[in-house]
Amino acid sequence: VAFKMYESYGSFSGFVDSCTFIKNKGLKMDLNVIESSVFTDNSQMLINALTVNSSIFERNSNLVQSGSAYSGNGIVNAPTVINSTFVSNSAAYGGALYNPKSVHYSVFVNNTARYEGDDIFSYSGDVDYSGNWWGDNQKPDSSKVYLFLGTLKMDSCIIMTLESTNKTVKASLNTLTDESGKLTPLNYIINQRMAYFSTEEGTITPNSTRLHDNEATAVMSYDGPGNFKIYAKIDNQLLDIFVKNNSTRILMDDASFY
């Protein structure tokens, strides 16, 4: 079902707050603000807004084929995006976002662009994309964040960490790393992701759980002397930690910048 929300003369000031949009075809919106809303499985979707905050976009697409070529500039075109989640979206240019200026505390996982910018395509201007989770502990390269013209600022990225104390394991998304590898606390609660735990010996409970305040914990149970690995996965990042038969506390940063 096509859904359109705009005004032809440009005087419409729309707000979408705490709404859900599922399986619409031709979803078009020109708005001021999108707040705390969910968009899932919509096709030929394009949202123009001034600000997007605390919203979730999963499995949406903006791809229109004409012969062998495709068009579609992102699924969201907004200057400011804060604390929003973009998972498995697709478009011709910018699988999630097209030409945003400021993007912070947001999540980008498995978005795809037919041409450039799997997560973000920036056409022009100075942009700041610091303080986001890109689905793993690597700083995104130009295949994920494509800048056509202008200057990109990306001072920090959120990384996953893994700690073990006695028989408790904690996986977290509460750390920022900069280009020098310096670690600082995030001090911001992002949209919460799922964490998955497994172990080479014994059991670990739960095997999967959603993060709460950027953290997820699991408890190990084993009878032997220890000396085995446990694993934790958030989105595309997998970390492991070696368990010994004494109290340990280990921080895994696994961060690389190029």
Side-chain angles (χ1 to χ4, degrees), residues 62-64 70-74 90-95 112-117:
N62 183 20
L63 282 167
V64 179
Y70 289 84
S71 62
N73 293 336
S90 60
Y93 293 92
T112 57
R114 188 76 182 184
Y115 300 116
E116 302 286 357

Side-chain angles (χ1 to χ4, degrees), residues 19-49:
C19 295
T20 299
F21 300 86
I22 301 173
K23 294 184 177 179
N24 295 281
K25 183 177 181 180
L27 179 61
K28 309 293 183 184
M29 295 183 179
D30 287 333
L31 305 164
N32 279 7
V33 178
I34 295 177
E35 177 80 31
S36 304
S37 294
V38 178
F39 298 79
T40 306
D41 293 319
N42 301 288
S43 61
Q44 296 180 24
M45 166 180 163
L46 178 59
I47 294 175
N48 297 302

Side-chain angles (χ1 to χ4, degrees), residues 43-63:
S43 61
Q44 296 180 24
M45 166 180 163
L46 178 59
I47 294 175
N48 297 302
L50 298 179
T51 301
V52 176
N53 185 51
S54 300
S55 295
I56 297 173
F57 302 82
E58 293 189 352
R59 300 184 304 276
N60 304 288
S61 65
N62 183 20
L63 282 167

Side-chain angles (χ1 to χ4, degrees), residues 151-169:
T151 303
L152 170 63
K153 179 181 178 181
M154 195 182 297
D155 290 343
S156 62
C157 298
I158 299 172
I159 62 167
M160 175 186 173
T161 60
L162 180 62
E163 300 177 63
S164 173
T165 304
N166 296 324
K167 292 188 175 183
T168 299
V169 184

Side-chain angles (χ1 to χ4, degrees), residues 67-98:
S68 60
Y70 289 84
S71 62
N73 293 336
I75 60 166
V76 174
N77 186 337
T80 302
V81 178
I82 304 293
N83 191 30
S84 294
T85 298
F86 301 86
V87 178
S88 299
N89 302 287
S90 60
Y93 293 92
L97 298 176
Y98 185 83

Side-chain angles (χ1 to χ4, degrees), residues 105-117:
Y105 310 122
S106 292
V107 173
F108 296 88
V109 182
N110 298 337
N111 302 292
T112 57
R114 188 76 182 184
Y115 300 116
E116 302 286 357

Side-chain angles (χ1 to χ4, degrees), residues 107-180:
V107 173
F108 296 88
V109 182
N110 298 337
N111 302 292
T112 57
R114 188 76 182 184
Y115 300 116
E116 302 286 357
D118 284 339
D119 292 322
I120 300 175
F121 182 97
S122 176
Y123 183 76
S124 64
D126 297 335
V127 299
D128 187 350
Y129 303 155
S130 302
N132 299 294
W133 167 243
W134 301 97
D136 57 35
N137 283 2
Q138 308 301 311
K139 182 179 180 180
D141 59 18
S142 60
S143 68
K144 286 188 173 184
V145 176
Y146 185 85
L147 189 68
F148 183 67
L149 294 171
T151 303
L152 170 63
K153 179 181 178 181
M154 195 182 297
D155 290 343
S156 62
C157 298
I158 299 172
I159 62 167
M160 175 186 173
T161 60
L162 180 62
E163 300 177 63
S164 173
T165 304
N166 296 324
K167 292 188 175 183
T168 299
V169 184
K170 181 170 68 175
S172 307
L173 291 177
N174 57 12
T175 302
L176 290 169
T177 185
D178 63 16
E179 295 194 33
S180 69

